[in-house]
Amino acid sequence: MIILAYSLVCLIFGTTFLAIKIGVDAGAPPFFTAGLRFFAAGALLLLWMSWKRKASLSLLLRKETALTGLGLTFGTFAALYWAEQYVSSGLAAVLSATGPIMILLLQSVILRKKASDLSLLGCLVGFAGVPLLVLPSLSVNVSPLWLAGCAVILIGEWAYASGTLYTRTVTARLPDVHPIALNAAQMIYGGALMLLLSLFAERPSISYLLSLKAAGSFLYLTVIGSMVGHSLYYWLVAKTNPVFPSTWLYISPPIAVGVGILFYDETVSWMTLLGVITIISGTMLVNAKALKQLLARFIPGPSVNRRSAGTVALGQNFRMHKKINNED
């Protein structure tokens, strides 16, 4: 079940970037669409958790969920939805993979946590991949909005990093609240903030849902992306550890690039592929220590096996000698 859930999380999160792109290109107002998606998904999840008596609607009265929604949902996805009007889904996925690097930098600057040399190297490698992604497109006519889209996604990842760090404080402060309920409440706040932004920045209307592509994108993102994907993610966190589920960040960019090429005629150059590899490599270096611990837990090394075998053999020899002495 863990392997199945993890595979589904990687597939779902890797395809949501293309689903966003399809909806935006079909004329869906980005802020209104994102706000409606997260508000609806959060409300349905919170009502379901309340019906199962695993959550209370009073969560919506806490400032912690409002602040989490401001960073994790509003800041991250308002930036992503707006930017995907001007950049490809694959590029958006790769730029979004810089989130763990942003977390490391914020920990070092704000929380004064000293980063290892390997993590700092990972930051440099990861950020070096960003211009590799950008350079091929600079050889053609690039609009200022395309460059702004790339920058806005990176700003959104700063919001994601801030929300993630604050989430650790919230879960420690509310240990008895189910993680899915916390996620539902913060999605409601984040969605409500995007709907409010839409009132000032757009002309919100649900008439865009009359388009088959826009309606399909909205339903996929709401049900599969938000409700199923995020629920599976938090289930994995509860069943394993926070590190293992988060490794979807290394797998989703290639999936997003691949589905964009196969189903949406997005183009990719060798330089872009090099940028993808560079950013993912940097992200893995940043999390090298955690990944090493994860591999040691799930895939024991030969030295561990030899030590275990030696212990078993020593025990057998001891019992054999004891039996011989007793017989003597």
Side-chain angles (χ1 to χ4, degrees):
M1 287 300 296
I2 288 175
I3 297 300
L4 176 61
Y6 176 73
S7 301
L8 287 173
V9 165
C10 293
L11 181 63
I12 290 170
F13 287 168
T15 55
T16 52
F17 294 95
L18 179 61
I20 292 172
K21 181 70 175 174
I22 291 173
V24 169
D25 286 352
F31 299 137
F32 181 74
T33 305
L36 191 61
R37 163 198 171 183
F38 283 105
F39 187 87
L44 289 172
L45 275 177
L46 189 59
L47 288 172
W48 179 70
M49 293 293 288
S50 299
W51 179 68
K52 300 285 284 185
R53 297 183 179 178
K54 293 183 178 180
S56 171
L57 296 180
S58 62
L59 272 177
L60 297 175
L61 302 178
R62 301 194 66 100
K63 66 178 181 180
E64 290 90 349
T65 53
L67 291 175
T68 306
L70 179 64
L72 277 182
T73 296
F74 175 75
T76 306
F77 288 95
L80 183 62
Y81 268 77
W82 182 87
E84 285 212 41
Q85 296 176 101
Y86 312 108
V87 302
S88 69
S89 62
L91 177 57
V94 176
L95 290 175
S96 296
T98 58
I101 298 176
M102 306 291 188
I103 293 174
L104 175 72
L105 293 177
L106 284 179
Q107 282 181 330
S108 302
V109 174
I110 297 177
L111 301 181
R112 303 295 180 183
K113 284 189 176 181
K114 183 176 175 58
S116 66
D117 294 338
L118 193 61
S119 295
L120 292 175
L121 175 63
C123 284
L124 294 175
V125 172
F127 280 116
V130 175
L132 291 176
L133 288 171
V134 175
L135 284 174
S137 298
L138 290 179
S139 61
V140 296
N141 293 325
V142 173
S143 70
L145 287 173
W146 183 89
L147 292 172
C150 294
V152 166
I153 291 176
L154 293 176
I155 293 172
E157 289 309 303
W158 280 106
Y160 166 81
S162 303
T164 300
L165 291 176
Y166 184 69
T167 299
R168 296 178 183 178
T169 303
V170 174
T171 52
R173 194 177 297 173
L174 304 172
D176 298 329
V177 181
H178 199 286
I180 294 180
L182 285 174
N183 179 56
Q186 70 88 12
M187 283 198 296
I188 291 174
Y189 270 109
L193 287 172
M194 277 187 277
L195 289 174
L196 185 62
L197 175 62
S198 176
L199 290 176
F200 294 96
E202 301 169 333
R203 293 180 178 178
S205 172
I206 61 171
S207 59
Y208 76 92
L209 291 175
L210 297 176
S211 164
L212 183 61
K213 287 185 176 181
S217 168
F218 175 77
L219 288 174
Y220 181 83
L221 289 168
T222 302
V223 178
I224 305 299
S226 295
M227 297 179 68
V228 177
H230 285 279
S231 295
L232 285 174
Y233 179 82
Y234 280 99
W235 182 84
L236 281 170
V237 171
K239 293 294 182 181
T240 58
N241 56 67
V243 177
F244 175 62
S246 68
T247 54
W248 72 267
L249 284 165
Y250 313 137
I251 301 175
S252 66
I255 292 176
V257 172
V259 296
I261 294 171
L262 290 174
F263 301 108
Y264 212 58
D265 296 327
E266 293 182 350
T267 57
V268 63
S269 67
W270 288 108
M271 186 71 75
T272 301
L273 288 176
L274 181 60
V276 171
I277 295 170
T278 304
I279 288 179
I280 294 174
S281 300
T283 305
M284 294 183 73
L285 283 173
V286 167
N287 295 276
K289 183 178 179 181
L291 287 173
K292 186 177 179 181
Q293 293 173 348
L294 179 68
L295 290 174
R297 177 180 176 183
F298 288 98
I299 310 175
S303 59
V304 176
N305 294 334
R306 285 197 299 268
R307 191 183 305 118
S308 300
T311 303
V312 172
L314 183 62
Q316 290 174 343
N317 290 336
F318 175 78
R319 287 191 295 272
M320 184 180 295
H321 285 295
K322 184 176 180 181
K323 181 179 180 181
I324 293 172
N325 290 336
N326 290 338
E327 291 175 351
D328 291 340

